[in-house]
Amino acid sequence: MKTIIEPFKIKAVEPIRFTTKEERTTLLKKAGYNPFSIHADDVLIDLLTDSGTSAMSSEQWAGIMLGDESYAGSKSFYKFDSAVKKITGLKNVIPTHQGRASEKILFTVLGGKGKYFCSNTHFDTTRANVEYSGAEAVDFMTEVGKHPEMKADFKGNMDTEALESFIKKTGAENIPLVLMTVTNNSGGGQPVSMQNIKDARKICDKYGIPFFLDACRFAENAYFIKRREKGYENKSPLEIAQEMFSYVDGCTMSAKKDAFANIGGFLAMNDDNIAMLCRNLLIVTEGFTTYGGLAGRDLEAIAQGLVEILDEHYLEYRIRCVEYLGEKLVNNNVPILEPPGGHAIYLDAIRFAPHIPQYQFPGQSIVCELYLEGGIRACEIGSVMFGKDLPDGTHISPAMELVRMAIPRRVYTQSHFDYMIEVIIDVYNQRKNLRGMKITEEAPMLRHFTAKFDYVD
Ligand SMILES: *Cc1c(COP(=O)(O)O)cnc(C)c1O
């Protein structure tokens, strides 16, 4: 087999700025050892997120010029509406400015005190929006999904037996929604099988609970199903995506992921009554129902992005990029979450820096070192993001302690990847020098975005 190449040519380039290690030492300290506070200009390779960081295609940029900025009934909305309907088949499509705006609206309508939302894993903004409504977010990961070193095809799956016993215990009337995240971002960008989607559907039917997808990376998930699940080898990514959506009553979506857009999202559902309540709220907080916090040009970019994301050559290249990075790291004994997921490589901080206890944030320490060593910006997904401090001072750590290196879509070339590999291996070889960290300042919710850190003496 020949090398899988970037299925595009580069028409516009954006220079990146080089810094010295001395400069980065000062910059990181000034940022309170939190990469979210570093100026992007001071980052060489930015793997903080794959959200909104995609390179748009010439067709998408052409769409930007076609954007119809009419307040109501814009032509661009109808293009967007049919692009979403073609894939999801869902009846009501509600544009929002990004994924979390869809979540805020949905959970405001369905949530509230005494309610429980169930998921394979709630993403951080999803959990925050559930909790902000007064409800609780409960995750049902499978056992294999909790072990970074264990290999399986569909580690993003939901433990549907655990889901069912929770429903029995809690009462279906207290569970407004089951939400399946594809791919499972917080669980390592791991895919969910079609079988698991069907199983969850069956349980939701049995208890009369609506079933939604958090569809941010639906195309990557569809491609994994094609590659790994029997019976899907010869189906197109579009056909597989259509089947995934055929089992759900609705979805939330961030178009900043699998729609190649720099901004945007949507909420879609079959239920007309809930859709009406959501649209009412949309008008108060986002905008009129045919633009929902977006410009007409954004709707054009999303509509075109939704076509391009399901291109099989693109998906093959996309999944291979991440796999390539993972393969080279594993060959050099760097502990990562295996097998590589769809949009990111996750370093396993517990095996990477076993001398740092979880309450001293080993992941954050690795994140800092990647920046110091090579100007690479990554993101901690562990005790900083999900850890909790009880009133008596005990620290509750999450199941996994990860460092996420998210790969922006169509942005970096193979030599960028080779450079990343060199830097990560260097940091790994000097891992004994990694030091534990403490939080010196934090916000009450989503603390990882703004917290300040320092090294433990
Ligand atoms: C990014 C993301 C969201 C939130 O979307 P935003 O556009 O960032 O608000 C929700 N769920 C998952 C799985 C995500 O990856």
Side-chain angles (χ1 to χ4, degrees):
M1 212 169 84
K2 299 214 169 55
T3 303
I4 295 164
I5 60 170
E6 287 84 358
F8 49 79
K9 298 185 283 182
I10 296 168
K11 184 169 338 220
V13 295
E14 181 182 348
I16 46 182
R17 196 174 85 79
F18 288 79
T19 49
T20 62
K21 193 164 179 176
E22 287 65 42
E23 286 175 278
R24 291 194 293 274
T25 306
T26 312
L27 291 163
L28 186 64
K29 185 155 190 244
K30 220 177 100 201
Y33 298 96
N34 188 341
F36 279 101
S37 303
I38 298 173
H39 293 202
D41 224 22
D42 298 327
V43 174
L44 190 65
I45 307 258
D46 205 346
L47 309 180
L48 188 67
T49 177
D50 62 323
S51 178
T53 51
S54 295
M56 291 215 293
S57 68
S58 46
E59 288 286 339
Q60 283 182 293
W61 282 110
I64 295 283
M65 280 311 294
L66 295 174
D68 173 0
E69 305 302 343
S70 304
Y71 191 93
S74 141
K75 198 164 86 183
S76 305
F77 169 75
Y78 291 104
K79 212 187 263 185
F80 162 84
D81 185 68
S82 29
V84 175
K85 282 179 177 154
K86 182 178 173 187
I87 297 167
T88 67
L90 294 164
K91 204 169 142 201
N92 298 287
V93 179
I94 302 170
T96 59
H97 82 273
Q98 63 183 82
R100 70 197 68 183
S102 309
E103 294 165 353
K104 176 77 169 85
I105 289 169
L106 185 66
F107 298 127
T108 302
V109 169
L110 297 180
K113 224 175 150 45
K115 304 265 194 248
Y116 296 83
F117 289 87
C118 302
S119 178
N120 46 347
T121 313
H122 291 85
F123 182 62
D124 58 352
T125 62
T126 320
R127 171 173 287 276
N129 275 300
V130 166
E131 290 174 355
Y132 193 76
S133 85
E136 282 185 48
V138 192
D139 293 340
F140 298 98
M141 256 175 122
T142 57
E143 192 52 39
V144 68
K146 293 177 197 161
H147 298 277
E149 74 289 352
M150 281 164 77
K151 283 185 206 169
D153 283 342
F154 293 103
K155 288 176 79 173
N157 278 357
M158 185 185 292
D159 182 343
T160 47
E161 269 175 38
L163 170 71
E164 185 162 14
S165 30
F166 183 82
I167 296 173
K168 280 188 191 150
K169 193 181 78 191
T170 312
E173 69 282 5
N174 299 315
I175 304 173
L177 193 82
V178 171
L179 184 72
M180 184 77 92
T181 310
V182 293
T183 56
N184 191 341
N185 187 356
S186 309
Q190 298 291 318
V192 173
S193 70
M194 194 72 87
Q195 189 57 52
N196 192 244
I197 294 174
K198 284 197 237 179
D199 291 345
R201 166 84 263 174
K202 221 181 266 165
I203 291 170
C204 288
D205 276 344
K206 187 167 158 192
Y207 295 93
I209 300 171
F211 182 41
F212 272 48
L213 284 185
D214 176 338
C216 292
R217 296 180 184 79
F218 74 96
E220 288 168 10
N221 201 86
Y223 190 71
F224 277 116
I225 289 176
K226 182 179 169 76
R227 291 283 296 273
R228 296 181 182 173
E229 197 163 349
K230 213 167 156 329
Y232 292 94
E233 307 80 355
N234 298 318
K235 295 212 159 123
S236 70
L238 173 63
E239 287 169 323
I240 298 171
Q242 285 169 331
E243 184 180 337
M244 286 163 54
F245 283 103
S246 75
Y247 300 120
V248 298
D249 305 297
C251 73
T252 56
M253 171 74 184
S254 168
K256 301 173 73 173
K257 321 288 173 52
D258 270 2
F260 289 127
N262 300 129
I263 195 73
F266 56 84
L267 179 58
M269 65 194 72
N270 285 327
D271 189 298
D272 292 331
N273 283 323
I274 298 174
M276 182 193 68
L277 296 172
C278 289
R279 286 197 178 104
N280 290 345
L281 201 51
L282 182 88
I283 293 175
V284 178
T285 60
E286 289 278 294
F288 187 64
T289 57
T290 59
Y291 72 86
L294 293 170
R297 54 181 171 270
D298 300 323
L299 296 167
E300 290 278 344
I302 296 168
Q304 176 59 26
L306 286 172
V307 174
E308 294 174 12
I309 203 82
L310 288 163
D311 175 75
E312 205 165 323
H313 288 295
Y314 161 72
L315 285 169
E316 180 186 41
Y317 142 81
R318 168 73 175 161
I319 300 304
R320 179 58 195 152
C321 282
V322 178
E323 194 182 56
Y324 176 82
L325 175 57
E327 223 168 69
K328 301 274 159 150
L329 294 178
V330 169
N331 290 346
N332 285 280
N333 305 315
V334 179
I336 64 164
L337 192 155
E338 289 190 81
H343 69 291
I345 287 294
Y346 296 70
L347 301 175
D348 178 0
I350 291 179
R351 283 184 292 151
F352 198 113
H355 60 289
I356 304 178
Q358 280 184 268
Y359 64 86
Q360 286 184 2
F361 312 116
Q364 193 67 21
S365 186
I366 296 169
V367 163
C368 289
E369 211 53 34
L370 288 171
Y371 179 70
L372 291 174
E373 185 63 34
I376 294 175
R377 177 155 71 165
C379 180
E380 197 264 10
I381 301 207
S383 286
V384 176
M385 197 182 266
F386 296 119
K388 274 202 179 123
D389 296 307
L390 298 183
D392 71 356
T394 17
H395 179 84
I396 307 280
S397 298
M400 293 193 281
E401 208 66 53
L402 304 172
V403 170
R404 187 183 73 179
M405 295 176 296
I407 312 299
R409 294 168 183 77
R410 305 191 291 209
V411 170
Y412 293 116
T413 65
Q414 188 168 347
S415 54
H416 291 117
F417 281 93
D418 289 332
Y419 172 83
M420 293 171 208
I421 292 159
E422 289 162 11
V423 172
I424 298 160
I425 292 173
D426 275 353
V427 170
Y428 183 64
N429 289 339
Q430 299 164 50
R431 61 191 177 279
K432 294 221 164 59
N433 301 332
L434 290 166
R435 284 184 292 158
M437 306 194 82
K438 59 183 178 199
I439 292 182
T440 57
E441 229 183 279
E442 67 179 295
M445 284 182 111
L446 296 173
R447 67 177 179 184
H448 56 283
F449 285 126
T450 51
K452 289 198 164 72
F453 300 84
D454 207 343
Y455 289 102
V456 174
D457 304 323

